[in-house]
Amino acid sequence: MPLRSAMTAAKPSKSARRRLSPGRLVLSGLAALLLLAFAASLSIGWYFSGVATQVEHGRTYDLRVRAVTGDTVTLPRTKATLRRGVFGLEWAENGRKGAGRAIIGEVVRSETIAGVGTGTVVRKVLSVPSGKLVPQLEAAIDHWVYGGDPKKAVGLDYRNVTYPSQLGAMPAWSVPGRTNNSPWVIAVHGHNADRAESFRAMRTVHDAGLPMLSIAYRNDENAPSAANGRNLLGSKEWNDVASAIAYARSQGATGVVLYGWSMGGSMVMSALRHTPDASFVRGVVLDSPVLDWTATLHKQGASRGLPTFETDVAIKMMEWRYGADIGAMDMRPFARHLKTPVLLFTAEQDDTVDNRPSYEFARKAPAGLVTHISEATADHTEAWNVDSAAYERALATFLGKVGS
């Protein structure tokens, strides 16, 4: 057969091409859609893994003071300004952040503008430690309440010290107790927070006669940064807590009480799990702790409208990009092996951390080792703000038992 005839004979008919084309188009379309979906999933996972590990310092001044009258201040009506309890109100002056601070109390009056959904909140002004509180200031609510250093914030003498770590010298505040030769309290702040988070507990610790070491750790302001400059949710940062324990021992501490807020709670529990001398840790205080990062990341992902599988992709991406072992920070399996007394505070209106692992941890721990206090009306790490007297009584009782 001539070559041209053979090629012509082998060529499919138009009807055959018509029969094959729709199926091929469907398969090609599905493949393209799957490829696009996969690429989109990876992109979203990449983005959120970066957001979760981003290091941020400072706060946003997103409120404007409406009025100041006698011992009250009028603020825009927001979820933050409506919260129960005692808070700090920090403001900027002439572009200088943190220029002033007031301590504000309970809501006196709340008004909503009909049909608009906005309004104002009037709160009691308890004191103005610094600056001048006047209308039109750009301000922010501070749930740590106090600012500055231990002397300015709560009137306690202190020293600026450094403790050696894997990454170099880390700054810390050392607040003396009756003697160095006693258990020390090591205070560990949360994710993208700073040492000021420990101010609310500082007086109670001091009244118990115990020294307190409030630490900065990697990626904090004025502290050494990790090589990748990322906050790895405590998966690496717990090593700085271990270094702080070694420093306290070198300074005469006869034991330590580890005190962690939020991510700091995850860090102190990891340090406890890895310490070669667990008996040196006399007790642990946890305030709104992250006891399982997978659960908390899913909670935070859901609040942003992220599907469950996308959060799983983001977690895997975080582990692949930065070497963070998220699963290893689930503290629930460790609960049954616990030998150290724990004081656990949870906030029932916590919008940041999933509390369910904390409840499960308390249930699984040996009887009598976990004292769990739940504040029904508090948000994340705000149990003290809502009822400081009850919080301090529980803390003082616990320190009296483990700090002798």
Side-chain angles (χ1 to χ4, degrees):
M1 182 184 295
L3 182 59
R4 181 178 179 84
S5 300
M7 291 177 64
T8 303
K11 186 176 180 180
S13 67
K14 290 182 179 181
S15 61
R17 288 201 302 272
R18 282 197 296 268
R19 287 196 301 272
L20 292 171
S21 294
R24 287 176 176 170
L25 284 171
V26 169
L27 290 174
S28 297
L30 285 173
L33 285 173
L34 288 172
L35 186 59
L36 285 172
F38 180 69
S41 180
L42 289 181
S43 296
I44 293 170
W46 184 277
Y47 172 76
F48 279 102
S49 69
V51 170
T53 58
Q54 187 172 350
V55 174
E56 296 178 344
H57 300 300
R59 56 171 50 90
T60 301
Y61 292 84
D62 54 357
L63 304 172
R64 188 171 292 277
V65 176
R66 300 285 183 83
V68 180
T69 306
D71 62 352
T72 66
V73 59
T74 303
L75 301 167
R77 190 177 190 273
T78 68
K79 185 177 180 180
T81 59
L82 282 169
R83 290 178 192 165
R84 269 197 65 205
V86 175
F87 295 90
L89 181 69
E90 183 182 290
W91 60 84
E93 291 179 2
N94 300 319
R96 184 167 64 92
K97 293 187 174 183
R101 176 178 296 270
I103 311 300
I104 59 175
E106 295 290 351
V107 173
V108 175
R109 186 171 65 257
S110 173
E111 298 176 346
T112 305
I113 300 174
V116 178
T118 61
T120 58
V121 172
V122 179
R123 298 190 72 126
K124 199 82 170 173
V125 176
L126 304 178
S127 66
V128 183
S130 62
K132 186 176 181 180
L133 181 57
V134 295
Q136 300 305 309
L137 290 170
E138 294 179 351
I141 296 291
D142 179 8
H143 68 181
W144 306 336
V145 183
Y146 308 106
D149 56 47
K151 186 68 174 179
K152 293 176 182 176
V154 291
L156 295 177
D157 292 331
Y158 75 102
R159 291 187 301 123
N160 285 310
V161 300
T162 59
Y163 67 94
S165 77
Q166 294 174 339
L167 302 182
M170 294 286 179
W173 290 323
S174 178
V175 180
R178 280 191 290 268
T179 172
N180 272 4
N181 303 119
S182 67
W184 287 31
V185 174
I186 296 179
V188 187
H189 67 73
H191 182 262
N192 284 337
D194 64 44
R195 287 174 284 170
E197 190 158 35
S198 66
F199 285 147
R200 290 167 293 175
M202 208 168 269
R203 284 196 185 110
T204 306
V205 172
H206 187 262
D207 289 345
L210 303 179
M212 185 172 189
L213 188 70
S214 183
I215 68 169
Y217 51 83
R218 63 190 67 189
N219 297 318
D220 279 356
E221 288 186 292
N222 303 314
S225 295
N228 56 20
R230 290 284 167 175
N231 185 320
L232 298 186
L233 309 183
S235 65
K236 307 296 183 185
E237 292 85 351
W238 70 264
N239 288 285
D240 299 338
V241 179
S243 296
I245 294 172
Y247 171 81
R249 189 194 288 265
S250 75
Q251 300 301 303
T254 59
V256 293
V257 177
L258 302 179
Y259 198 143
W261 288 260
S262 191
M263 187 183 91
S266 177
M267 290 168 61
V268 302
M269 288 303 300
S270 290
L272 174 64
R273 289 173 65 176
H274 290 91
T275 185
D277 182 9
S279 64
F280 193 70
V281 182
R282 303 288 187 85
V284 174
V285 183
L286 303 172
D287 191 327
S288 299
V290 183
L291 295 189
D292 175 32
W293 266 110
T294 299
T296 286
L297 288 169
H298 275 286
K299 178 184 178 78
Q300 295 178 356
S303 72
R304 293 169 171 81
L306 204 63
T308 298
F309 78 91
E310 285 291 7
T311 301
D312 288 331
V313 170
I315 290 171
K316 292 299 182 184
M317 194 72 71
M318 198 183 310
E319 293 180 327
W320 176 73
R321 290 177 72 184
Y322 306 119
D325 190 346
I326 304 301
M329 292 186 287
D330 183 352
M331 301 300 161
R332 289 170 294 183
F334 174 65
R336 62 176 59 91
H337 305 293
L338 187 69
K339 297 179 181 179
T340 306
V342 172
L343 175 59
L344 169 63
F345 294 99
T346 56
E348 290 311 293
Q349 296 183 19
D350 198 321
D351 278 344
T352 304
V353 166
D354 191 331
N355 278 332
R356 290 174 299 174
S358 290
Y359 273 88
E360 191 174 341
F361 180 89
R363 286 196 304 269
K364 288 183 174 181
L369 273 185
V370 177
T371 302
H372 184 191
I373 297 174
S374 177
E375 177 51 62
T377 60
D379 198 352
H380 188 58
T381 70
E382 291 178 4
W384 182 97
N385 305 67
V386 169
D387 192 342
S388 60
Y391 188 105
E392 290 172 359
R393 281 195 303 271
L395 179 57
T397 299
F398 183 77
L399 293 177
K401 292 178 180 178
V402 303
S404 58

